[in-house]
Amino acid sequence: MTQPQVIISEDLSGVGQVSLGVALPLLAALGFNCAVLPTAYLSTHTGGLGRPVVTDLAAQIAPTSAHWKTLPLQPQGVLLGYLGKAALAAWQQVLPDWQAAPVRLLDPAMADGGKLYAGFDAAYVAAMRELIPQASVMTPNLTEAQLLLGQEPDLAPRSDEGAAELATQLVKTFGVQVLVTGIPLLDGSLAVAGCTDAAAPAWLNRNQRLPGHYFGTGDLFAAVVCGALMRGQTLQHAAILGANFVARAIQQTDDPRLGLNFAAGLP
């Protein structure tokens, strides 16, 4: 049997277990032949290790994709993580070429903690809105979900119904499957809210809130979900697997500045 293929495109950090440095080994361990298209190279990830040296690789996306189209490459999935302005524009042009891939997961990494990442603005949010309909599933965190819906970010705990409504609104707006991560609930837990179709009810997966702040949790979650969907799991089961794997990685991590110790959970 031909080894199933997946395209991964996000930034690569030389130091720090985040983004492409997480997704590549994880999806390889799940049995996929990975075609990687870095959007940028950073000497370190951007949290707690000083100002990284950054090399933008967005100009390579279109010609690389064009070359790949000449190959016997038939990916079952496409995983898009942190892009940046130039890479997002490139993928707006390129992603239509890979619509045959049944799983096209977009993690709209652009904000957290109630605010956009440095260097991003309302125009970037608008551009992300244009890219989303080309995906089959997206995994925004709470802040990203609210920005995509044109709402002011509000991180206050919410009811189960309020959390589920976020996922429903996103599905109705963009027409793709949705997992909204990191939603604080009134009972003190964190939830992932999911919805597969505008006609289907949304659902919640509850998770225990773990102390501390860890970089790369969204990257790890998205990679697990993408792999699980390509292996035939339902969206809800994929979300459970992703959250459980992230929790295990957090519990095995000694120095959060270096990212999550995801390798401990690979077996």
Side-chain angles (χ1 to χ4, degrees):
M1 180 180 294
T2 302
Q3 189 179 16
Q5 300 163 331
V6 58
I7 292 173
I8 311 169
S9 188
E10 53 191 333
D11 60 295
L12 174 64
S13 292
V15 173
Q17 300 294 325
V18 300
S19 299
L20 184 54
V22 167
L24 173 58
L26 192 147
L27 288 169
L30 285 173
F32 294 98
N33 185 327
C34 301
V36 297
L37 218 176
T39 59
Y41 173 76
L42 292 77
S43 55
T44 69
H45 73 85
T46 56
L49 295 174
R51 185 174 181 177
V53 177
V54 180
T55 302
D56 192 335
L57 300 174
Q60 305 305 315
I61 292 174
T64 298
S65 178
H67 179 204
W68 285 354
K69 292 299 291 184
T70 70
L71 305 177
L73 187 64
Q74 296 179 323
Q76 282 68 55
V78 177
L79 172 60
L80 302 182
Y82 183 96
L83 297 176
K85 293 179 179 179
L88 192 156
W91 271 107
Q92 285 178 329
Q93 302 302 314
V94 165
L95 192 52
D97 292 338
W98 302 103
Q99 290 298 296
V103 177
R104 302 177 307 281
L105 190 149
L106 172 61
D107 177 10
M110 59 182 178
D112 199 6
K115 59 183 179 180
L116 286 163
Y117 294 151
F120 290 166
D121 53 19
Y124 190 83
V125 178
M128 187 65 73
R129 291 192 187 110
E130 294 180 6
L131 180 63
I132 288 170
Q134 298 184 42
S136 65
V137 57
M138 65 170 166
T139 60
N141 61 33
L142 174 58
T143 299
E144 291 158 350
Q146 292 171 316
L147 290 171
L148 289 170
L149 290 170
Q151 302 173 359
E152 285 295 322
D154 177 6
L155 305 183
R158 59 198 63 215
S159 66
D160 290 14
E161 294 76 15
E165 180 61 21
L166 269 176
T168 299
Q169 288 179 328
L170 286 166
V171 169
K172 290 180 177 179
T173 301
F174 295 102
V176 305
Q177 299 183 80
V178 171
L179 295 173
V180 183
T181 63
I183 306 175
L185 298 179
L186 295 174
D187 65 4
S189 63
L190 285 176
V192 174
C195 189
T196 58
D197 185 89
W203 39 262
L204 297 182
N205 291 340
R206 275 182 163 76
N207 307 290
Q208 180 184 359
R209 184 191 292 269
L210 298 175
H213 179 75
Y214 297 86
F215 298 99
T217 54
D219 304 330
L220 188 58
F221 178 83
V224 175
V225 169
C226 186
L229 292 175
M230 288 188 291
R231 294 285 286 270
Q233 301 295 331
T234 66
L235 185 68
Q236 186 167 12
H237 191 209
I240 292 171
L241 290 172
N244 288 346
F245 193 84
V246 169
R248 179 176 295 185
I250 288 174
Q251 292 163 356
Q252 298 288 335
T253 297
D254 295 323
D255 187 347
R257 296 177 304 166
L258 300 179
L260 298 172
N261 182 11
F262 72 96
L266 285 180

